[in-house]
Amino acid sequence: MEINGHTRLCGLIGNPVEHTLSPAIHNTLAEKLGHNLVYVPFHVEKGYTDDAVKGAFGLNILGLNVTVPYKSDVIGSLVAVDELAEKIGAVNTLVRCEKGYKGYNTDILGLYRAMCSEGIKIEGEQIVLLGAGGAARAVAFLCAEKGAEKVYLLNRSLEKAQAVAEEVNSICGRECISPMITADYEKLPDRKYLAIQGTSVGLHPDSDKAVIEDAGFYQKIHTGYDLIYKPAETKFMKLVKENGGCAYNGLKMLLYQAVIAYEYWNDVQVPESVAEDIYEVLKSRVAV
Ligand code: ATR
């Protein structure tokens, strides 16, 4: 692609941004869809997010992704925030509008699209959610919003699980989330669950660990979804499969959070065949 006077710019703000896969996704999307668009990472120092967002608007930048540690900080620099992103309290995508940027959380929309694409249902389900950090908290909101019957939120420290449950239940107006300490997993009612792994345990290079390693727990899981995508098969996924369940990693979530951001910025629908091509690119990049 030739960079010329019509080239639109998108990018990522965060710190660090050096290992991001987003440029590979967005620049491939632009190439495949024939858009004159370039996506670059911007390393933003602490205390400069507001300058970065205002400067981006001044430079006519079409859209930005936001990564750690600025997903909450950036909200104060926006002119509008999507309803679900506001509930979650974190945005990862800024879409240019008339007077500034509107914030969305395509991480969570991407997870939902990824789950739908795998035929995984949330509505009416009994779910075990592992973790109570930023990622798991967003998943708890998604589950409550999409009509999960019950979410058992298991965390190493009970206080954090309780705080997330209280917040989500109060915002969503129903007692959907039940907090538990992970050590009490044997007390889960005897039935089959969808389990979503939202802790950082098992992440490369600590890939020989899972937050629960007892086969008895995994016998209760019909489907396991790990938000981690490196390694491609986590210990959690192995244990789910060994005990008869289906298991998925977080790579499609990564793919679809980018696809949705790209769709918002360019007002297009990315064809599924293009998304599948990008997924192959991602798989090869993660395998390195
Ligand atoms: P993220 O933004 O990726 O969610 P985070 O907010 O730091 O990251 O949350 C990390 C999650 O992984 C938390 O639920 C954390 O449990 P605590 O709240 O008890 O700290 C969980 N976690 C991290 N290391 C863990 C470990 N060794 N065993 C169990 N849980 C762990």
Side-chain angles (χ1 to χ4, degrees), residues 139-150:
V139 175
F141 271 107
L142 176 74
C143 293
E145 284 278 310
K146 297 292 178 191
E149 190 176 308
K150 174 68 75 193

Side-chain angles (χ1 to χ4, degrees), residues 1 18 50 53 58 68 110 125 157 167 203 227 248:
M1 191 208 75
E18 286 71 21
D50 191 57
V53 172
V68 283
E125 282 292 307
S157 55
E167 199 191 349
L203 189 63
L227 301 191
Y248 303 88

Side-chain angles (χ1 to χ4, degrees), residues 121-149:
K121 202 165 111 295
I122 291 179
E123 195 187 346
E125 282 292 307
Q126 298 261 347
I127 298 173
V128 174
L129 173 56
L130 301 175
R137 193 172 158 280
V139 175
F141 271 107
L142 176 74
C143 293
E145 284 278 310
K146 297 292 178 191
E149 190 176 308

Side-chain angles (χ1 to χ4, degrees), residues 75-110:
I75 291 177
S77 306
L78 306 178
V79 293
V81 182
D82 163 73
E83 202 182 317
L84 179 61
E86 187 158 25
K87 284 182 184 170
I88 294 169
V91 309
N92 77 311
T93 297
L94 310 189
V95 178
R96 188 179 186 84
C97 42
E98 207 189 329
K99 296 233 161 65
Y101 292 100
K102 179 171 179 181
Y104 293 85
N105 190 312
T106 72
D107 286 331
I108 211 64
L109 300 173

